[in-house]
Each structure stands twice: as C-alpha cells, then as structure tokens.
Amino acid sequence: AQKITQTQPGMFVQEKEAVTLDCTYDTSDQSYGLFWYKQPSSGEMIFLIYQGSYDEQNATEGRYSLNFQKARKSANLVISASQLGDSAMYFCAMREGKYDYKLSFGAGTTVTVRA
Amino acid sequence: NAGVTQTPKFQVLKTGQSMTLQCAQDMNHEYMSWYRQDPGMGLRLIHYSVGAGITDQGEVPNGYNVSRSTTEDFPLRLLSAAPSQTSVYFCASSHPEGNSPLHFGNGTRLTVT
C-alpha cells in the first residue's frame, strides 16, 4: 500500500496567491515525521519543512506552513504569496518510527506559478 | 561546504555494462541512502546504510549493490545495466535523528541503451 499519497499531479497558481498541496499518509506508528521537499527544474532536492507526529503546533518556515491534521492523516503544505521561483515539483515524505531513518516519498505535485 | 557529492552527473551505458555511482558526504552523517526517481513515481529507496559496515535493502534493490567501508562514502554499483535502470539517481544522507532531514546530492542521470 502507498504510504504517501499526493493526489494532485499538477497545479497552477497566480503569482502572490496562496496554494495548498495535499498529502495524506498511512502508518500504524505513533512516532513519525513528515517532510516536504522542493525540486526545481534544475533537479536538486531542497528541504522545506518538517512536522513531527507529537508536535502540537503546525510547522511554519517563512512562506511555507504545514496544515497537520493527525486524525485525518494529512499534512498539507501551504505556500503563501506565491512567487515565480516557487514553480517546481513538490514531494511529501514520511519517516516512520523512532529509529528508522528511511524516508518514503509521494509521487509529487508540479506547481506552476503564473505571472 | 560540499555536503553530498555525487559523480558522475550524466552517464550512458549499454545493456550489460557495469558501473559505479559515487557518493561522498562531509557532514559526518551516519545514515546514507540511494534513491531512484522515475516520472510519476516519486523517489524509491534502493539501498541504505545506518553506519560503516552496515547496509540494507530498500524498496527496489534488484540489480544494485552497495558497500559502506567508511562513514563518508556510499557507492552504488550497477552489476549488469538494463534499460529499466534508466533513471535519475540520488544519494542522500542525514544524522540518525527522527527530525533530521535528508540532504541530497545533485543526482546522476543514467541512460541505458
């Protein structure tokens, strides 16, 4: 079974608007972590934000925030005030358990920011 | 501050050839891993290592070997290349802490003809 599901293959957003990227996950572990990465067209993988399963507050990093809904097993990424440079592929990933360092990735969502 | 260094950046192989993708990190990370990225499939784990001398299989290990003789290096060997191994390969490393993100190399684009 897929551990990470990203249902939006591609999205368009107008510059300066906010966009939400969906991510649902499947785990039976109580301890886990959720990560979002950005992959621009140049190909490198850039870490954006992390949310731990025990974190009570939603994570935020600058214009990135994570809408963490534990009961629904969702960890949606919100990008506020979109910029042209936000055009990229975005991956949601999960690390399960306390001592397992493997990351499982979703299929990704391509975001295109329009001027 | 090099981070994770992968070589080569591009490679073309003929079916049946073997080769080694190199990966080195200078962050003293205990955990290292190899992923392949194919369109529509995200990143899939090939092999990983939690320290020197310790390696284990990931989701798609067939056709690949790894070794970890030092903390810094984690080479990936393709034993007999097949067209199905055409992909982009990423090496990544992290500290052994749950909230530690993976640091990625810049990738190797491999084509097998």
Side-chain angles (χ1 to χ4, degrees), chain B residues 1-5 23-32 49-52 68-73 92-97 100-101 103:
Chain B
N1 205 7
V4 180
T5 303
C23 176
Q25 53 92 7
D26 62 358
M27 297 173 283
N28 203 30
H29 286 165
E30 292 184 30
Y31 178 76
M32 295 187 74
S49 168
V50 298
R68 183 98 180 267
S69 56
T70 66
T71 300
E72 294 78 20
D73 298 302
S93 70
S94 74
H95 285 300
E97 293 157 6
S100 178
H103 296 257

Side-chain angles (χ1 to χ4, degrees), chain A residues 2 32-33 35 37 39 42-47 50 89 91 95 97-108, chain B residues 31 35 37 40-45 48 50 57-58 90 94-106:
Chain A
Q2 277 284 72
Y32 54 89
F35 300 79
Y37 283 84
Q39 186 179 44
S42 52
E44 71 266 34
M45 294 287 288
I46 302 167
F47 166 67
Y50 166 82
M89 176 84 86
F91 291 99
R95 177 178 279 151
K98 247 183 149 179
Y99 302 108
D100 189 343
Y101 306 111
K102 304 189 294 291
L103 252 63
S104 300
F105 284 82
Chain B
Y31 178 76
Y35 287 86
Q37 181 179 15
M41 303 189 74
L43 280 76
R44 292 181 293 167
L45 182 64
Y48 65 97
V50 298
Q57 296 182 351
F90 285 98
S94 74
H95 285 300
E97 293 157 6
N99 62 352
S100 178
L102 281 179
H103 296 257
F104 283 83
N106 286 334

Side-chain angles (χ1 to χ4, degrees), chain A residues 2-115:
Chain A
Q2 277 284 72
K3 293 190 178 187
I4 296 285
T5 302
Q6 294 180 254
T7 57
Q8 308 149 309
M11 299 182 71
F12 290 94
V13 60
Q14 207 64 30
E15 198 176 9
K16 299 180 186 175
E17 291 185 350
V19 62
T20 298
L21 308 184
D22 294 341
C23 172
T24 57
Y25 58 91
D26 182 26
T27 182
S28 55
D29 276 304
Q30 296 301 307
S31 177
Y32 54 89
L34 297 152
F35 300 79
W36 278 92
Y37 283 84
K38 172 184 179 181
Q39 186 179 44
S41 58
S42 52
E44 71 266 34
M45 294 287 288
I46 302 167
F47 166 67
L48 296 177
I49 195 167
Y50 166 82
Q51 178 84 43
S53 59
Y54 295 118
D55 294 342
E56 294 186 354
Q57 306 275 355
N58 284 341
T60 60
E61 287 288 346
R63 294 187 298 110
Y64 304 108
S65 60
L66 210 151
N67 183 2
F68 182 47
Q69 298 187 41
K70 197 169 179 176
R72 297 181 61 187
K73 291 190 174 178
S74 77
N76 299 339
L77 178 71
V78 180
I79 306 173
S80 62
S82 296
Q83 302 171 357
L84 296 178
D86 293 333
S87 293
M89 176 84 86
Y90 291 82
F91 291 99
C92 180
M94 177 174 64
R95 177 178 279 151
E96 296 178 87
K98 247 183 149 179
Y99 302 108
D100 189 343
Y101 306 111
K102 304 189 294 291
L103 252 63
S104 300
F105 284 82
T109 296
T110 300
V111 172
T112 303
V113 181
R114 289 172 162 156

Side-chain angles (χ1 to χ4, degrees), chain B:
Chain B
N1 205 7
V4 180
T5 303
Q6 278 184 246
T7 55
K9 290 187 179 179
F10 301 94
Q11 183 71 48
V12 179
L13 290 178
K14 293 189 188 315
T15 298
Q17 288 184 318
S18 62
M19 79 158 295
T20 299
L21 306 185
Q22 300 292 344
C23 176
Q25 53 92 7
D26 62 358
M27 297 173 283
N28 203 30
H29 286 165
E30 292 184 30
Y31 178 76
M32 295 187 74
S33 53
W34 277 100
Y35 287 86
R36 60 177 288 172
Q37 181 179 15
D38 302 292
M41 303 189 74
L43 280 76
R44 292 181 293 167
L45 182 64
I46 305 171
H47 285 286
Y48 65 97
S49 168
V50 298
I54 306 168
T55 63
D56 208 342
Q57 296 182 351
E59 183 185 355
V60 288
N62 292 341
Y64 308 94
N65 270 356
V66 291
S67 59
R68 183 98 180 267
S69 56
T70 66
T71 300
E72 294 78 20
D73 298 302
F74 191 45
L76 177 73
R77 296 182 190 84
L78 279 70
L79 309 172
S80 176
S84 61
Q85 294 179 305
T86 293
S87 188
V88 178
Y89 291 84
F90 285 98
C91 179
S93 70
S94 74
H95 285 300
E97 293 157 6
N99 62 352
S100 178
L102 281 179
H103 296 257
F104 283 83
N106 286 334
T108 296
R109 185 172 293 275
L110 175 69
T111 303
V112 183
T113 61

